[in-house]
Amino acid sequence: MESNNEAGAVRKAGLSRKTNETDIKLSLAVDGSGVSELETDVPFLNHMLDLFTKHGQFDLSVQARGDIDIDDHHTVEDIGICLGQAFREALGDKKGIKRYANVFIPMDEALAQVVIDISNRPHFEYRATYPSQQVGSFSTELVHEFLWKFALEARITLHVIVHYGSNTHHMIEAVFKALGRALDEATLIDPRVKGVPSTKGVL
């Protein structure tokens, strides 16, 4: 894994992960401009990551191949793992960040909320009930899998609540947009913050 966390530098990280199930190369710039280069075997996840990147103002590159002849599970899970690891590495010592964010995003009839604490204490809460178990060929249970693994590897507290909606695509889209916006807000550098925003002195 390569990272750049020096003062004044663009916060970024890159990594590769290869197993018997997946082969992933990923790079992330936290202080980006919303540019994504996504090549995975899961088209719906490509779409969600593109939204996440655009609304979070990150730069994200993902090349991923997996055993989709079995199903999409391993590919989605491992991309979540890699993205979480990249975020954690890119943020470095977390000095000056705002740390918290609470974002609501509507998508037509759907409303999603994402609440984040960049705490170094991984925890995930998920409240979502979708009308459909599939969006095209994508299983909606993989949204939980992706977010859980992302929160675990990024070592953040992540609460995701889909308050309502009737279109499963819209509901999941609102989640990924809200995740991007919340991470953008929580990782912003606040000039008023001296060191890290914790009475412990470390995050």
Side-chain angles (χ1 to χ4, degrees):
M1 181 179 291
E2 296 179 358
S3 65
N4 189 349
N5 303 310
E6 295 177 1
V10 173
R11 296 172 292 175
K12 61 184 179 181
L15 60 89
S16 297
R17 173 187 169 93
K18 187 171 184 178
T19 72
N20 291 334
E21 299 166 343
T22 62
D23 186 357
I24 298 170
K25 293 180 181 178
L26 184 149
S27 65
L28 168 76
V30 174
D31 306 297
S33 55
V35 176
S36 62
E37 297 179 0
L38 308 168
E39 296 180 21
T40 86
D41 295 323
V42 187
F44 186 75
L45 184 61
N46 286 346
H47 178 37
M48 293 302 106
L49 289 176
D50 187 41
L51 295 167
F52 163 83
T53 303
K54 184 68 174 180
H55 291 276
Q57 289 297 296
F58 311 122
D59 290 341
L60 177 64
S61 173
V62 182
Q63 293 178 306
R65 294 292 174 261
D67 54 357
I68 60 166
D69 53 313
I70 298 174
D71 66 10
D72 294 342
H73 182 103
H74 294 140
T75 304
V76 174
E77 177 183 37
D78 286 5
I79 292 173
I81 289 171
C82 291
L83 185 60
Q85 290 175 347
F87 254 98
R88 184 183 179 195
E89 188 71 18
L91 290 178
D93 58 17
K94 307 179 186 69
K95 287 182 178 178
I97 65 168
K98 294 184 71 174
R99 177 175 170 177
Y100 297 100
N102 178 21
V103 172
F104 288 85
I105 290 290
M107 176 61 194
D108 294 349
E109 87 298 341
L111 181 66
Q113 179 184 11
V114 171
V115 186
I116 285 175
D117 176 10
I118 301 178
S119 59
N120 201 34
R121 295 192 308 277
H123 188 84
F124 180 48
E125 293 290 339
Y126 188 60
R127 304 288 185 269
T129 302
Y130 300 112
S132 172
Q133 294 183 349
Q134 299 280 137
V135 180
S137 61
F138 185 85
S139 173
T140 57
E141 70 178 10
L142 294 180
V143 177
H144 177 281
E145 196 67 28
F146 176 89
L147 295 170
W148 172 40
K149 294 303 169 56
F150 172 77
L152 183 66
E153 296 294 337
R155 296 191 63 83
I156 65 173
T157 296
L158 174 62
H159 291 243
V160 174
I161 306 162
V162 180
H163 290 281
Y164 45 78
S166 58
N167 181 292
T168 300
H169 187 133
H170 290 170
M171 295 163 78
I172 297 171
E173 182 167 328
V175 167
F176 276 84
K177 287 178 176 178
L179 179 64
R181 288 290 298 270
L183 282 166
D184 180 42
E185 182 177 331
T187 59
L188 284 175
I189 300 297
D190 185 340
R192 298 172 300 173
V193 176
K194 306 304 179 186
V196 297
S198 172
T199 55
K200 295 182 177 68
V202 66
L203 283 173

